Amino acid sequence: MRRVFLLLLILLSIGVVNAFPLGYDNYKLIDAIPKGNIVDDRVYEDKVIRIEFDDFTGKYPQFTLRNISNTPLTILWDLCAFVDSTGRSQGVIRSNIPFLDRGKPVPPTLVIPRAFISEVMVPLDSIDYDGGWIVNNSIPKEAEQTLTIVLTVEQGGKQTTYMFTFESVMASRGVLVEGGTFTMGDTWGGGDSDERPTHKVTFTYDFYIGKYEVTFDEYDVFCEATSRDKPSDEGWGRGARPVINVSWWDAIAYCNWLSEKEKLPKAYDSDGNLLDKDGRITIDPSKVVGYRLPTEAEWEYAAKGGNKSEGYKYSGSDNVSDVAWYSSNSGSKTQEVGKKAPNELGLYDMSGNVWEWCSDWYGSYSSSAQTNPYNSTAGSYRVRRGGSWINSATFTRVAFRLYVSPSCTVYNLGFRICRTVP
C-alpha cells in the first residue's frame, strides 16, 4: 500500500512531463522514493501507469500523500497489496508496526482534509528481523518485470480501489536489433589497419542487446547471489554506473547466471565456448538461446544503428560529445549509464564510458562476405569495443577495435549483454 503510494509518488516525481504532483480524485501523491521516469502517463480506467525505474537501492519505498478533498480519507491497509509479475500477491504492512505484530491486522490510517501523510509500504513477505527491520525490497531488479500496487481507501462510507502497475526497465533491458546486412569496418577512411578490409556481414536472425551497459547495481546482485567478491568502483560510486574491473570470465559467468535465473540454457561452457539450446558447442550465434556477450559483428552492427543506421562515426552522432563520455568531458571517471543521447536504435553509451567485452577472440578481418560471423579461433586476446572515459574521441569510433587478455580486469572495461531472439 505504502508502496502504491510510493510508486504513485514516483510517478508524481516523474509525473507528466516529469512534473509533481500526480492527482487522483481525492488525493495527490506529493513525493516518492525511488524516483523514475514515466514511460506512459495515460491513466486508464484501472489507473494503470507504466513507470520506468532502475534498481531500488534503498531500504523500502516511501511516499507522501495529501488528502485534497473536504472529507476525511481512510487508508485500509488490510485491503492493500503488492502483486509481482508472476501473479504472486503479498499483503503490506506499515514500517512502524512492531515486528511481532506482523501477522495481525494493520490498523487503518485516517487522513484529515488537506492534511499530509508520509508513509512507508513494506510487502509482508519481504521482511526479516535481526535487531531491527530488514526489508528485501520487492521492486523488480530485472528487465520487463512489473509490480502492481492495489490501494484501497474509504471516504464517506464508500470504498475505492486503485491499481497502479509499474514496469521495471532495467539497465539490462534488451533492445531489439533486426537482422540485415551492413558493411563492417572503417567506411570513413583514416582508421587503423585492423579495421580493414571492410566487408559485408549479414545476420539471418534478430537479437536483443542491452539498452545500457551492465551496472554495478545489477552486477552486485549477481555477486551476492553467488558469493563472489564485488569488483572495486575505484571510489567513484556504484549504483547506475557501469560495472568495471570485471574480466571476460566474470562477464560470461554473469550471463550464465542470468540465463539460469530465467530458466534458459546456458550460453557458455567452462572453457568459454558458445553452447546451443541442447548444451552442444556451436560457432553459430543464432543457435545460442541464453544470455551472452555480443559477437564483435553484432556489437558493431548495433553501435552503427542496425537497419536504422544513419552512418554516424560515433554511436548516434558525428559529434562525439553528444553521445560519449570520453577524456574531454568525463571528469576522469565513469558516469551513470544513459546520460548521453542514444543511437538510432535507442542504445546508450556504445561510444565511451567503458570499453565492452565481446564474445570473440581477436583476429584480422577478411574481405570475404560473412553470414552470422563469430571468431571462435582460440588466441591470446578477446575483443573489446567502444572506447572509454579515459580515451580520446578516436577510440570511441564505432569501427575502432581493441583487444585484451580475457583474464584482465581494469577500471575502464565492462560489458553489456545480448541474446538471440528465439
Side-chain angles (χ1 to χ4, degrees), residues 283 295-296 359-364 373-378 382 401:
I283 60 172
T295 66
E296 183 176 19
S359 276
D360 305 61
W361 291 100
Y362 176 81
S364 299
Y374 163 64
N375 186 8
S376 62
T377 304
R382 294 284 182 176
R401 310 174 68 207

Side-chain angles (χ1 to χ4, degrees), residues 321-363:
S321 295
D322 290 344
V323 294
W325 295 110
Y326 68 115
S327 58
S328 295
N329 65 4
S330 68
S332 299
K333 59 185 176 182
T334 61
Q335 299 293 326
E336 291 188 356
V337 300
K339 298 301 185 182
K340 288 290 186 178
N343 76 352
E344 300 93 315
L345 292 174
L347 299 171
Y348 292 83
D349 299 305
M350 294 201 78
S351 285
N353 215 358
V354 295
W355 289 97
E356 300 175 15
W357 286 112
C358 292
S359 276
D360 305 61
W361 291 100
Y362 176 81

Side-chain angles (χ1 to χ4, degrees), residues 13 48 90 212 275 329 377 396 402 405:
S13 62
V48 173
Q90 303 183 50
Y212 310 105
L275 302 175
N329 65 4
T377 304
T396 68
L402 206 58
S405 167

Side-chain angles (χ1 to χ4, degrees), residues 165-224:
T165 296
F166 302 88
E167 179 180 14
S168 173
V169 185
M170 305 299 294
S172 60
R173 181 182 183 181
V175 169
L176 177 65
V177 182
E178 297 177 330
T181 298
F182 83 113
T183 300
M184 187 170 182
D186 174 31
T187 58
W188 301 272
D192 289 348
S193 59
D194 68 348
E195 300 169 32
R196 300 186 296 272
T198 60
H199 52 285
K200 294 293 183 181
V201 169
T202 298
F203 297 101
T204 62
Y205 60 94
D206 302 335
F207 60 93
Y208 295 109
I209 193 168
K211 183 176 182 180
Y212 310 105
E213 294 155 334
V214 172
T215 65
F216 268 108
D217 271 348
E218 293 174 305
Y219 193 83
D220 284 349
V221 173
F222 159 65
C223 291
E224 292 166 3

